[in-house]
Amino acid sequence: MVVFRTHVMISGFATESGTKIFSEKFLSSNYKIFQNLHLSNIGMGTYLGEPDAKTDEDVKNAVKKSILSGVNVIDTAINYRAQKSERSVGKALDELINENLIEREQIFIATKNGYVTNDGDREEDFMQYIIREFGKTGIVKEGDISNGYHCMTIPYLDDQLKRSLKNLNLECIDLMYLHNAVEGHPEMSKEIFLENLKKVFEFYEEKRKEGKIRFYGLATWECFRTTYENALFLSLEDVLKIATEVGGETHGFRFIQLPFNLHFDQAMLTKNQKINNESKSILEASKELDVGVFTSVPLMQGKLLEWAKSKSIFSEYSPSVGLLQFIRSTPGVLSPLIGQKSEIHVNENLEIMKLDPMNEKEYDDFLKKLVS
């Protein structure tokens, strides 16, 4: 007699008590409290790698090692490695929970939807997959997908959320980002974009009530860093007004993501956001408006490592640890998200979890050293 086991999705979501218990196992200085959650000030990204079985295993093991080293912020996206990064994260969580090493309530999982992606586990032409899965089913209609292969219609985002939940093996995702929406639709006027954004936020609020997501946000590349005159510019205050209009004061728009490192320094230096008629950087504006900021590309996919070595600006740390130390110590940043999958890089980067962040004086001294 064959017994078929019913697949059980992982229930729950990151909670105040769960993340606090997790943080108490490690250095308390390596966690920041936001939305009552104790979040590690280093997060793991899962962008890098080919959509193959070896990388699946590498990413899964890197997620497990990161979590066991004190990282409880894991960032992914449905288009990363053609859905396979989400699946690697889901397998890592499943194994850690089944081994009684963590509980779901201790880990904050963020993913992103919006880009059109295929399925790396299917040997199928990209366009054949898109036509079969989305075109013939009516999920996507002519004109829905931009030239940058982005789609922010509700039927598409609803389909993608269901796929992300299945890929991650989760009943609830802690944070769902709309992924590079401004950058993905450069042809769209700001007025139409904001109208569409309102519809997306209404959809996200509905999914919050259903318990499918806890928070939502915008993962961006340029719109929050560029100048006001740029057509891609987006006002954080305007976005918050839409969220409040849709969800009231308890709305779920609480996080953004953007690039920040020693090369992409606009988040700290460009005063492009107006708050009460005062010009502020996006980091300053986010802090004032109570929006959490996760940052991407801390090492510029390794390109900053040689630059850091040539400048000899980190005498106490390895270049990767030094670059991460600078970002996580910058006021207004919750966590830099470091993409890592090889065991050597994981071990090297996670040395930072044994250190306290820079205090204000150390940070100021570092900035002086940087410009001298």
Side-chain angles (χ1 to χ4, degrees), residues 259-327:
F260 177 57
N261 54 47
L262 284 176
H263 179 70
F264 290 146
D265 55 12
Q266 299 92 340
M268 180 173 66
L269 299 181
T270 302
K271 307 283 186 178
N272 61 352
Q273 300 286 321
K274 288 280 188 181
I275 307 295
N276 297 323
N277 293 320
E278 186 177 348
S279 295
K280 295 181 179 291
S281 71
I282 187 63
L283 289 180
E284 292 169 331
S286 297
K287 192 171 182 180
E288 188 163 330
L289 296 171
D290 197 27
V291 174
V293 181
F294 292 111
T295 65
S296 58
V297 293
L299 311 182
M300 284 191 70
Q301 298 177 8
K303 295 174 184 175
L304 281 176
L305 296 177
E306 288 303 316
W307 176 85
K309 287 178 185 176
S310 68
K311 294 291 184 181
S312 301
I313 54 175
F314 301 119
S315 56
E316 304 172 56
Y317 321 111
S318 69
S320 64
V321 168
L323 291 165
L324 291 170
Q325 182 74 311
F326 159 70
I327 297 168

Side-chain angles (χ1 to χ4, degrees), residues 78-79 83 112-118 126 129-130 133-135 137-141 144-145 149-164 178-179 185 203-204:
I78 195 167
N79 63 306
Q83 302 191 51
K112 315 175 191 75
N113 287 164
Y115 278 115
V116 178
T117 183
N118 59 333
F126 181 89
Y129 177 88
I130 302 307
E133 290 289 315
F134 307 124
T137 57
I139 292 170
V140 167
K141 297 180 175 58
D144 286 351
I145 299 176
Y149 286 93
H150 196 284
C151 182
M152 58 186 293
T153 64
I154 303 309
Y156 181 72
L157 293 178
D158 186 42
D159 171 270
Q160 296 292 280
L161 171 57
K162 290 173 183 173
R163 291 176 196 257
S164 286
L178 183 61
H179 196 182
H185 293 272
F203 166 72
Y204 284 155

Side-chain angles (χ1 to χ4, degrees), residues 13-15 37 172-175 208 211-216 252:
F13 47 82
T15 64
L37 300 172
C172 180
I173 292 166
D174 297 296
L175 170 58
R208 289 183 72 218
K212 302 298 184 185
I213 64 173
R214 288 279 289 161
F215 302 102
Y216 57 93

Side-chain angles (χ1 to χ4, degrees), residues 95-295:
E95 290 183 11
L96 289 171
I97 290 170
N98 286 333
E99 293 164 12
N100 294 316
L101 295 173
I102 61 165
E103 295 181 0
R104 169 66 182 98
E105 291 74 18
Q106 298 175 337
I107 311 300
F108 186 86
I109 304 295
T111 193
K112 315 175 191 75
N113 287 164
Y115 278 115
V116 178
T117 183
N118 59 333
D119 186 335
D121 283 328
R122 291 175 181 261
E123 292 186 5
E124 186 176 10
D125 176 77
F126 181 89
M127 287 310 301
Q128 284 182 335
Y129 177 88
I130 302 307
I131 292 168
R132 178 174 55 78
E133 290 289 315
F134 307 124
K136 292 182 177 179
T137 57
I139 292 170
V140 167
K141 297 180 175 58
E142 186 176 353
D144 286 351
I145 299 176
S146 73
N147 290 336
Y149 286 93
H150 196 284
C151 182
M152 58 186 293
T153 64
I154 303 309
Y156 181 72
L157 293 178
D158 186 42
D159 171 270
Q160 296 292 280
L161 171 57
K162 290 173 183 173
R163 291 176 196 257
S164 286
L165 288 166
K166 183 178 179 181
N167 289 341
L168 290 161
N169 195 34
L170 298 178
E171 288 186 356
C172 180
I173 292 166
D174 297 296
L175 170 58
M176 173 59 76
Y177 291 109
L178 183 61
H179 196 182
N180 288 1
V182 177
E183 296 85 349
H185 293 272
E187 79 291 345
M188 196 178 288
S189 71
K190 188 60 58 66
E191 181 181 5
I192 293 176
F193 175 80
L194 293 177
E195 288 175 3
N196 289 340
L197 190 64
K198 183 179 179 181
K199 294 175 185 176
V200 173
F201 283 7
E202 288 171 345
F203 166 72
Y204 284 155
E205 289 291 343
E206 179 185 327
K207 295 305 168 183
R208 289 183 72 218
K209 291 175 184 175
E210 293 177 9
K212 302 298 184 185
I213 64 173
R214 288 279 289 161
F215 302 102
Y216 57 93
L218 293 177
T220 70
W221 185 256
E222 189 173 353
C223 65
F224 286 132
R225 298 183 300 123
T226 191
T227 57
Y228 182 83
E229 297 78 17
N230 191 310
L232 294 179
F233 170 82
L234 194 60
S235 162
L236 182 60
E237 193 170 42
D238 286 350
V239 173
L240 272 169
K241 285 177 182 176
I242 294 172
T244 304
E245 181 181 347
V246 168
E249 293 300 323
T250 59
H251 64 82
F253 179 81
R254 301 296 172 183
F255 298 90
I256 63 172
Q257 186 181 135
L258 47 75
F260 177 57
N261 54 47
L262 284 176
H263 179 70
F264 290 146
D265 55 12
Q266 299 92 340
M268 180 173 66
L269 299 181
T270 302
K271 307 283 186 178
N272 61 352
Q273 300 286 321
K274 288 280 188 181
I275 307 295
N276 297 323
N277 293 320
E278 186 177 348
S279 295
K280 295 181 179 291
S281 71
I282 187 63
L283 289 180
E284 292 169 331
S286 297
K287 192 171 182 180
E288 188 163 330
L289 296 171
D290 197 27
V291 174
V293 181
F294 292 111
T295 65

Side-chain angles (χ1 to χ4, degrees), residues 58 61-62 65 340-349:
D58 289 343
N61 290 335
K65 179 67 181 277
Q340 50 189 10
K341 58 181 175 33
S342 75
E343 185 175 357
I344 294 174
H345 290 156
V346 172
N347 290 337
E348 180 181 351
N349 296 335

